[in-house]
Every structure is written in structure tokens, then in C-alpha cells.
Amino acid sequence: MRQTVIPHIGMRIVKTAVAVMLSYAVFAFLGLTYREEYGGIWGKLGPLYACIACIVCTQSTLGQTLRQGVSRLIGVAVGGALGVLVLLLGPLAEGPGRVLAVGAVCVAGVWFCLLIRRPAACAMACIVPCVLLITGVEGADRYYYAAARILETAAGVLIALLVNLALPDNRQEETAPAPAPGKEVKPMQVEVKNTTKKLCVIGDPVLHSRSPVIQNTMIAALGLDYLYLCQPVARGEAAQWLACAKLAGYAGFNATMPHKVDLVPLMDVLDADAALFGAVNTVCIRDGRALGFNTDGAGFLRALAEAGIQAEGRRVALLGAGGAAKAVALKLSASGAERVTICNRTAARGEALCALDPLGRLRPAGFGPDDLRREAAACDLLINCTSLGMGGTEGQFEDFSFLEALEPGVPVCDLIYNPPETELLRRARALGHPAMNGMGLLIHQAVLALEHFTGTAIDAAAMAPLIRAALSAD
Ligand code: NAP
């Protein structure tokens, strides 16, 4: 029998309604309801774009609200500028020319927003100039109209932020329960019903992936109606897979090599970290739209915090400049590390990574023994993001003497979790340094991904022992 799922009216919906009501009330109270008699920009002001901004921006976290809000503001500003520019063409943009102009502003709006990596700005960048062109706003009114849309959107974003600050965060309220104490949880025993939502990991190769074990363990422990599969997808076929996943009703998927970069331009909405790293490892499919996230950087920060290490003010020596190094380094910089020195064997790759940091806190260095000793002596956190020491590979550090240059007590992290203790960590621990392996990152990035898929916060501390047990039994 078909089961009806009753949607839950959660805090996010309540926040949206409150923000919209507040926006309307503020504009109405000030008498700003598109009253032409006011003239100038005041005559063009009303609550509509503020309400729309609230609907789009009232997300479950302040960060999401801010990111969406900034994208919206950018979209409106780009759209306003495009519309005004086209109207300046005068008779060229009249009659049949206007049809072409409407198409041209859409192409230009989307293209520009994708160029500046703001896919969430695309819609407004098209809507504003289309409205300007289609409603035939003329003369100075066109500038007032565009400026009014920007002001309304800014007011809406501000109201959305205030509402999000004032009302409780639904990620706290809707936290999925931890398993009851004493209740035995059998990893991987996921109950499959007709309503069960599908998730998977894609990659090439992917059959070695531990993600199904990790995710299904959490799904079973939390009693969620999801199933997580392993899905090989050949290199270059991310777009076909995405269409297929939408058609097959997948709720989302994780991506590993070689798809993380290919997925970026395929997303309808890109989270700030995914845009910054230029890589997507988590895709949520909602209402046919693909929302791309990257949980590696945030997962690493959570793992660091769990080990009692804060990123703020740290001088970091980071070894490696591959995919994992990129996420970790850029996230450390964004989270207030004083500087992050990228020591990489291939200098050009290290330099390219440093150039990506909008805050300019990354700087390149060499990978020779002298370079590593110098950087170790000058850091207060050392992180290995190379594959040196990873199980199943031949690679190993030729010289560990750089560890002796570390100041006493400087923590050493290795992203590798297999083996649980690499030679680097063994030696660091023997010298008295706190040592952290990559298991924390593995767990936290997976927890964050499941949080995105399900829209609920998950108690990572409760999940960690279950995941460790499931991985060691697998
Ligand atoms: P990647 O993109 O292939 O990058 C590999 C990095 O290692 C590059 O910087 C490379 O330097 C360096 N490297 C490889 N062999 C080297 C050698 N012989 N001497 C010096 N440097 C060498 O790999 P990735 O995806 O960033 O992964 C890096 C490590 O992080 C892997 O061990 C992976 O298992 C681990 N990781 C762990 C997690 C987790 O959840 N804990 C997540 C992601 C990754 P060049 O640029 O010079 O080639």
C-alpha cells in the first residue's frame, strides 16, 4: 500500500514565514509600497524583493543565510547593471531587438555569475533585467528601479539574518537521536521499504570505498529511511550519472575521484566550500535541483576541534598540495589560521594552490629536507596531506629529521587513517607530540554529508565508535 508522508512544519518554515511577515510589515509601516507619488527611488520601493530574499535566504544556519544572501545581492546588482546597459542601447533594444535583448541578458547574467562562481546569483541576474526590459521602464526610472531592487534585497537579507539569529537553529532542534544506551546497533542492517530514499557514492574506481559501511551504519543506528549504495561511474560520465540519479529518484550521492571537479559546473547551487575548493564531494537532489557541497574542509576542522586543536592564529606547515591538501589548507585559512605553508614536491602544484586563497594566507615552500626542517621549526601545527606512509603504497618520507625541529608540544596530524598510526605519527608521538590520524576527518566528513542529505544534525560523538567498530569488522 502506498504510504503518505506528512511533511513536518519545522523551524526553517517558521523562520521563513516570520521573516517574510517582518519584511512586509517593515515596508508597509514605512509606507514604501511602490507609491509612484513619492517619485525617484522611493516611489519604486516595496516589500516584494525583500520577501523573496527572505524566502530564499532563511536557511537553517546563519552561514547558509549569509551565503545565499550575498549571492542574491550579487545577482540583483549584476541583473540591474545588465538591464540598464541594454536599455542604454535605445532603439536597438526596441521591437524585435528587445526579444534578442531578453535572451542576451539571460546568457550574460548566467555566464557572469558562473564566472565568479556564484551559481545561486544566476536567477536574479536574469530576472531583474528581464523585468526591466519587459515592463518597459524608461528614462531615469530604470536606474531607480534597479537601485530599489538592490535596496529591497539588502533589507530582506538583513531581516533574514536577524530572524535566523533570534530564532533557534533547527539543526539543533531537529537533531537526530543518538541510539538509546544499551541498545545494540547492528551495523549495515538497513531496512528497505518502498519509501526508502536512495543514496550512494560514485567513483572510478569505487568498489574499495568505505562510505557504504560508514553511512549505512549511521543510517541503521539512527533509524533513518535511507539506503546507501556503491555506484561505479566511469571517468567523464558525471553528467550522465547526475541525470540518471535525478530520474531514479536518488536523494543524493557522494563523489570521489575522478568526479569531484567535473561535478562543479553541473550543480544548480554550490556551497561556499565547494566553490572555494573547486570540488564537490556531496550532492543533494531536491526537487530536481542539484545542490553541491564539500565536507572535507569542515570535516577536518571538526576533527581538529575534537582533538582540542583550534585553527585560529595557527602557523601551519602543511605537506602536500593534492585534493585533500587543497580543502584542508583553504579551510584553515578561511578559519583564521595565521598562515599555512604548503610544502610540496611539485613546486608548481603548491604555487597553484596558494594562488587560490582569497585571503592570501597560503605560501609555497619546497619539500627537500632543509625546507621541511625550516618550516617545521616555524610552525605550531604540522599536517601531512601527502600519500606518503599510506597503506598499500610504496611511498615513505626519506628523512624524518624535520620532526626534531618542531617546538615541544606542537601537534602532528596525518590525513592517512590506514594504517591507523603511520610512521610519521609513530615518530612524532615518540618525541612527545600530540598525534592525530585521518580517522576523525573520515568520520566527520561523512557525518556532515549525512546531515546535508537528511537536513538533520547528527551527534558525531555517538556515531564515531559505531563507525570505528563497523570499519574494523568490515
Ligand atoms: P592526491 O591529490 O593524489 O595528492 C597526493 C599528494 O601527495 C601530492 O601533494 C603529491 O605531491 C604528494 N606525494 C605523493 N607521492 C609523493 C612522494 N613520493 N614524495 C612527495 N610527495 C608525494 O591525493 P589526495 O586525495 O590529496 O590524498 C592525500 C592523502 O590524504 C592520501 O593518503 C589519502 O588517503 C588521504 N586522505 C584522507 C582522507 C580522510 O578521510 N582521512 C580524505 C582524503 C584524503 P605532488 O604534487 O608532487 O605529486
Side-chain angles (χ1 to χ4, degrees):
M1 205 177 68
R2 219 184 149 93
Q3 211 178 327
T4 307
V5 180
I6 313 266
H8 164 66
I9 299 186
M11 204 58 208
R12 183 188 295 205
I13 298 175
V14 173
K15 280 181 182 185
T16 308
V18 171
V20 169
M21 289 191 299
L22 210 57
S23 290
Y24 179 70
V26 167
F27 277 81
F29 176 75
L30 295 173
L32 298 171
T33 48
Y34 312 104
R35 293 169 66 170
E36 291 290 344
E37 67 265 27
Y38 286 174
I41 190 171
W42 302 111
K44 298 277 174 227
L45 271 171
L48 185 60
Y49 277 64
C51 292
I52 298 174
C54 286
I55 293 164
V56 176
C57 298
T58 316
Q59 302 290 317
S60 61
T61 66
L62 263 182
Q64 284 171 323
T65 303
L66 197 60
R67 280 193 292 276
Q68 281 284 353
V70 170
S71 288
R72 260 196 106 63
L73 273 174
I74 291 173
V76 176
V78 170
L82 273 174
V84 170
L85 271 178
V86 174
L87 287 172
L88 286 176
L89 294 175
L92 282 177
E94 296 298 337
R98 187 144 295 195
V99 178
L100 284 175
V102 168
V105 290
C106 290
V107 173
V110 171
W111 179 83
F112 184 79
C113 293
L114 293 180
L115 180 73
I116 59 170
R117 295 180 162 219
R118 286 280 178 181
C122 289
M124 291 320 291
C126 296
I127 291 170
V128 176
C130 281
V131 174
L132 268 171
L133 288 168
I134 291 166
T135 56
V137 187
E138 296 206 328
D141 274 357
R142 67 186 76 154
Y143 306 111
Y144 299 144
Y145 180 90
R149 300 295 77 83
I150 297 171
L151 280 182
E152 285 172 21
T153 303
V157 170
L158 190 67
I159 289 169
L161 275 172
L162 291 176
V163 168
N164 225 344
L165 262 177
L167 294 180
D169 188 333
N170 69 334
R171 287 164 70 94
Q172 302 300 322
E173 186 190 76
E174 293 168 9
T175 296
K183 178 176 174 262
E184 193 197 351
V185 175
K186 296 200 176 84
M188 296 287 283
Q189 286 200 350
V190 177
E191 196 188 337
V192 181
K193 297 180 279 190
N194 286 356
T195 52
T196 301
K197 297 180 215 45
K198 295 182 287 290
L199 299 168
C200 71
V201 56
I202 64 163
D204 179 17
V206 74
L207 295 180
H208 64 284
S209 173
R210 318 304 300 279
S211 294
V213 176
I214 297 173
Q215 295 291 353
N216 285 322
T217 297
M218 290 195 281
I219 287 166
L222 297 168
L224 299 170
D225 191 15
Y226 286 83
L227 168 68
Y228 193 101
L229 302 163
C230 182
Q231 178 63 57
V233 173
R235 178 182 289 274
E237 293 188 349
Q240 288 95 316
W241 162 254
L242 182 60
C244 179
K246 286 180 181 176
L247 196 68
Y250 271 75
F253 58 90
N254 288 118
T256 181
M257 296 312 291
H259 302 304
K260 290 182 175 191
V261 177
D262 294 355
L263 283 168
V264 172
L266 303 175
M267 297 295 106
D268 295 302
V269 179
L270 209 52
D271 137 85
D273 278 0
L276 182 63
F277 310 157
V280 165
N281 75 347
T282 302
V283 176
C284 297
I285 301 174
R286 298 207 184 110
D287 303 323
R289 301 175 80 223
L291 320 182
F293 301 90
N294 193 309
T295 62
D296 283 339
F300 181 73
L301 278 195
R302 281 196 185 186
L304 264 191
E306 195 178 58
I309 305 166
Q310 299 305 323
E312 290 84 13
R314 292 268 173 182
R315 294 167 293 135
V316 184
L318 191 145
L319 318 185
K326 187 191 281 188
V328 168
L330 291 171
K331 193 69 183 175
L332 284 169
S333 165
S335 306
E338 186 183 310
R339 66 157 192 265
V340 183
T341 307
I342 306 294
C343 306
N344 199 47
R345 177 181 61 177
T346 309
R349 207 173 176 195
E351 283 158 15
L353 169 51
C354 294
L356 291 178
D357 182 22
L359 299 171
R361 291 176 177 154
L362 268 52
R363 63 178 181 81
F367 200 78
D370 292 342
D371 301 305
L372 294 187
R373 263 194 299 277
R374 189 184 58 248
E375 298 309 330
C379 79
D380 47 26
L381 174 62
L382 187 132
I383 307 170
N384 176 37
C385 297
T386 72
S387 46
L388 292 175
M390 188 167 78
T393 61
E394 295 292 308
Q396 186 52 278
F397 288 94
E398 285 167 16
D399 177 4
F400 287 95
S401 64
F402 63 89
L403 288 176
E404 282 147 27
L406 289 169
E407 291 286 328
V410 168
V412 176
C413 305
D414 199 327
L415 258 54
I416 295 168
Y417 57 85
N418 179 25
E421 186 168 71
T422 56
E423 185 61 15
L424 177 79
L425 290 189
R426 192 189 67 73
R427 289 178 185 244
R429 217 186 287 273
L431 288 167
H433 297 281
M436 180 185 110
N437 71 9
M439 185 55 84
L441 164 59
L442 183 71
I443 291 172
H444 282 288
Q445 57 83 21
V447 167
L448 278 165
L450 193 58
E451 288 189 341
H452 286 307
F453 292 140
T454 61
T456 59
I458 291 167
D459 183 354
M463 293 298 108
L466 303 177
I467 294 172
R468 285 176 205 275
L471 286 174
S472 57
D474 186 45

